[in-house]
Each structure stands twice: as C-alpha cells, then as structure tokens.
C-alpha cells in the first residue's frame, strides 16, 4: 500500500473517532457511605443522598464544601422514615470543580454514627 494512502487513512480514522466520540462522563459515581449511598450524575450536576431502606431508622447527611473556596456548605440529609427515596441537590459550580463530601450515617440497629470524607470533581 502507498505510504501516503496509509497516512491519509489513519488520519481519517482518527478524525472520525474524535467527531463520533460520546462525551466522557467520568465524574459520575455512586458511593456506599455506611447506611446509605451518595450518587453524583455528571450530565445533570445532581448529587443525591439516600438512606438505606432497612428495619429501624436510618439517615445519611452529607456536607459539601469546596476546598480553598469561601462560601456556604451544601448540606443534604435523607432518612428512611420521613423521606423514603433519595434527597437530591443540583450543584451550580463550574465544571471541573472539586468538592469535599463529609458524611455521617446512622442506623438504629447499630446505634452509632459512622463518619467519613471523600472528594470528587464535577
């Protein structure tokens, strides 16, 4: 095969791959936080918190802050008694913003609060 044709075909395939590629949704996640989950959907910039649907009372509270940025934290709380399902909040920050999530979760069967922290980027 002619080297020029090979190069032209390779460039055409590369350009087509870039044009047809779907946008990356690498920031979306679902994370277990003890007695519930925290879920982030990148396409909608929505964070949802859901306490486990279990015997007894369970709740999860997540406080979102932006490290190094002054401002009010976003607090999302969900429980399985008064609010079955998830409680959600849309983040209005710019793309590629880093958040720190400090969470607490509780289940009455255990009787103690679990705590933890993780970071994610929108």
């Amino acid at each position: 095969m002619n080297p020029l044709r090979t190069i032209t075909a390779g460039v055409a395939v590369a350009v087509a791959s870039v044009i047809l590629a779907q946008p990356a949704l690498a920031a979306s996640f679902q994370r277990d936080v003890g007695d519930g989950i925290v879920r982030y959907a990148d396409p909608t910039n929505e964070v949802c918190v859901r306490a486990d649907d279990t015997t007894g009372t369970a709740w999860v509270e997540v406080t979102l802050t932006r490290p190094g940025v002054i401002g009010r934290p976003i607090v999302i709380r969900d429980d399985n008694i008064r609010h079955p399902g998830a409680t959600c909040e849309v983040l209005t920050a710019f793309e590629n913003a880093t958040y720190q999530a400090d969470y607490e979760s509780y289940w009455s069967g255990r009787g103690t609060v679990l705590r933890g922290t993780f970071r994610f980027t929108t």
Side-chain angles (χ1 to χ4, degrees):
M1 185 178 224
N2 181 334
L4 183 56
R5 284 187 184 167
T6 303
I7 292 171
T8 304
V11 169
V13 168
V15 168
S17 297
V18 170
I19 291 172
L20 298 175
Q22 295 295 315
L25 301 177
S28 296
F29 68 86
Q30 180 170 310
R31 185 177 186 117
D32 182 357
V33 292
D35 303 299
I37 61 161
V38 175
R39 182 178 66 234
Y40 175 70
D42 188 52
T44 58
N45 290 328
E46 184 175 58
V47 175
C48 294
V49 175
R50 183 182 57 79
D52 289 340
D53 185 19
T54 185
T55 304
T57 301
W59 56 262
V60 176
E61 183 173 291
V62 177
T63 302
L64 300 175
T65 56
R66 296 198 43 218
V69 177
I70 297 173
R72 276 205 165 116
I74 299 168
V75 179
I76 308 168
R77 182 181 174 100
D78 187 71
D79 69 64
N80 68 344
I81 302 298
R82 288 176 287 167
H83 188 262
T87 302
C88 300
E89 181 86 24
V90 175
L91 302 179
T92 57
F94 300 101
E95 283 296 313
N96 299 320
T98 298
Y99 284 89
Q100 179 168 309
D102 297 306
Y103 65 85
E104 294 183 339
S105 69
Y106 172 82
W107 173 50
S108 61
R110 186 184 58 254
T112 58
V113 175
L114 301 176
R115 292 178 176 84
T117 299
F118 63 93
R119 289 186 180 198
F120 66 96
T121 302
T122 60

